[in-house]
Amino acid sequence: MASLKELKNRIKSVKSTQKITKAKQMVAAAKLRRAQAAAEAARPYSQRLAKVMGSLASKVAGSDSAPLLLRGTGKDERHLLVVVNTDKGLCGGLNANIVKAAKVKARELIAAGKQIDFYLVGRKGRAPIKRDYAQRVRQEYDTSAVRQLGYTEAEAIAEELVAMFAAGQFDVAHLVYPVFKSALAQDPTVVQILPVPAQAVVADAPPAADAVVDYEPDEETILGALLPRYVRTKLFTALLEREASEQGASMTAMDNATRNAGDLINKLTIQYNRSRQAAITTELIEIIAGAEAL
């Protein structure tokens, strides 16, 4: 049984931990408001761009003159999984769920006889993926030194992916990232980003009334300029969703940790009081026994 001093020190230690988790919860709550607002503000732009892309892609899909990013390499053998994880921990099971979704997709592709590689964004997803697929990690993009993720990082990742695609290093690229729904729910999702699937673009776009549109220049030229922007926008949206998901998951995890610390403090305090009362009772019995002996 722990001594009174040990119990007192442990209560003090848990209280210090509770102060830290409470502070991190408040910081995550403050950051969540900004991150959520940024993620929600980017969604209408992404949907509007998808609408324009859907209109153009439906006209040239399947044509030999379509841009490479739309028509693809003509093969479906080498797949690249772009996994977007966080750089920091203490956010519950968020990163574990993202890695799990990536591994499920990887196993599906391997079972279908495909070759897979990984492009890792964020530090927390590296170790669990390298543990099972060390030889298949093609590239890593470090965002740990970036104070505020923005369009610059999305553009750098997109340009690297487009260059790899143009060089024939892979045939299909899938983006794995969390979608922020609330502080309690962040769902990992897997979408194809290269080649840009025309049917997916149309599905992402809001319904619009049919109209006859004349394009100047032609559709292929416009698509050649818009397709890289569409890829950058998808990656930018994924990074914003990651930030909102990270702060939401961190706030929830720290709130749970604070509550658990409070429960542990209550249990330790009861145990301390009982031990202290037992010690006092023992001392009283010894004093009374000694007085009676005299």
Side-chain angles (χ1 to χ4, degrees):
M1 185 175 181
S3 65
L4 290 175
K5 185 177 180 180
E6 291 175 345
L7 288 172
K8 191 173 183 179
N9 289 338
R10 191 175 181 191
I11 291 173
K12 184 179 179 180
S13 175
V14 176
K15 284 184 176 179
S16 298
T17 302
Q18 187 183 40
K19 290 180 181 179
I20 295 174
T21 57
K22 183 64 176 179
K24 291 185 69 67
Q25 176 192 352
M26 296 175 66
V27 171
K31 291 183 178 180
L32 175 60
R33 297 186 186 96
R34 296 192 296 268
Q36 182 179 355
E40 292 177 347
R43 290 171 185 171
Y45 177 80
S46 178
Q47 292 175 354
R48 185 63 180 175
L49 180 59
K51 177 182 177 181
V52 176
M53 293 290 296
S55 176
L56 291 169
S58 62
K59 298 179 181 296
V60 300
S63 173
D64 294 336
S65 61
L68 176 64
L69 296 184
L70 184 64
R71 72 173 187 271
T73 61
K75 301 178 182 178
D76 186 26
E77 298 301 323
R78 295 169 297 175
H79 291 249
L80 182 70
L81 296 178
V82 183
V83 186
V84 180
N85 278 96
T86 68
D87 291 307
K88 299 178 182 178
L90 300 178
C91 50
L94 176 62
N95 289 299
N97 291 334
I98 297 172
V99 171
K100 181 179 179 181
K103 288 185 176 181
V104 168
K105 184 65 177 179
R107 287 194 293 268
E108 290 178 356
L109 292 172
I110 292 174
K114 310 298 182 182
Q115 177 184 340
I116 65 165
D117 290 306
F118 287 90
Y119 185 107
L120 305 180
V121 180
R123 292 191 304 115
K124 287 301 177 180
R126 296 177 186 175
I129 289 179
K130 286 182 176 180
R131 185 167 54 246
D132 297 333
Y133 303 98
Q135 303 300 324
R136 302 190 180 188
V137 177
R138 177 68 63 85
Q139 191 73 8
E140 298 177 9
Y141 188 87
D142 189 8
T143 57
S144 59
V146 181
R147 188 175 183 84
Q148 184 69 37
L149 282 176
Y151 193 76
T152 302
E153 290 72 33
E155 188 174 26
I157 297 172
E159 288 179 356
E160 193 167 8
L161 291 176
V162 171
M164 293 171 63
F165 183 65
Q169 297 184 21
F170 62 88
D171 300 320
V172 182
H174 306 273
L175 180 62
V176 186
Y177 68 100
V179 175
F180 176 81
K181 293 186 176 180
S182 69
L184 299 175
Q186 307 87 29
D187 294 338
T189 185
V190 182
V191 296
Q192 179 179 323
I193 55 172
L194 286 173
V196 179
Q199 65 273 18
V201 173
V202 176
D204 289 342
D210 294 335
V212 178
V213 180
D214 291 331
Y215 293 98
E216 179 66 31
D218 57 85
E219 292 91 340
E220 289 84 356
T221 303
I222 297 176
L223 274 173
L226 285 184
L227 283 168
R229 180 178 292 272
Y230 177 78
V231 176
R232 292 195 293 268
T233 301
K234 292 294 291 185
L235 287 166
F236 180 53
T237 302
L239 292 178
L240 293 179
E241 295 284 351
R242 185 200 83 166
E243 287 297 295
S245 298
E246 177 183 356
Q247 301 306 330
S250 179
M251 186 183 72
T252 301
M254 291 301 99
D255 180 59
N256 292 334
T258 302
R259 294 174 185 272
N260 292 337
D263 294 340
L264 182 56
I265 290 171
N266 292 336
K267 292 179 180 179
L268 291 173
T269 302
I270 293 174
Q271 186 178 351
Y272 174 81
N273 291 336
R274 287 176 177 173
S275 297
R276 182 169 175 270
Q277 185 63 45
I280 293 173
T281 302
T282 301
E283 290 178 1
L284 288 175
I285 291 174
E286 291 175 353
I287 292 173
I288 294 172
E292 290 179 353
L294 295 175

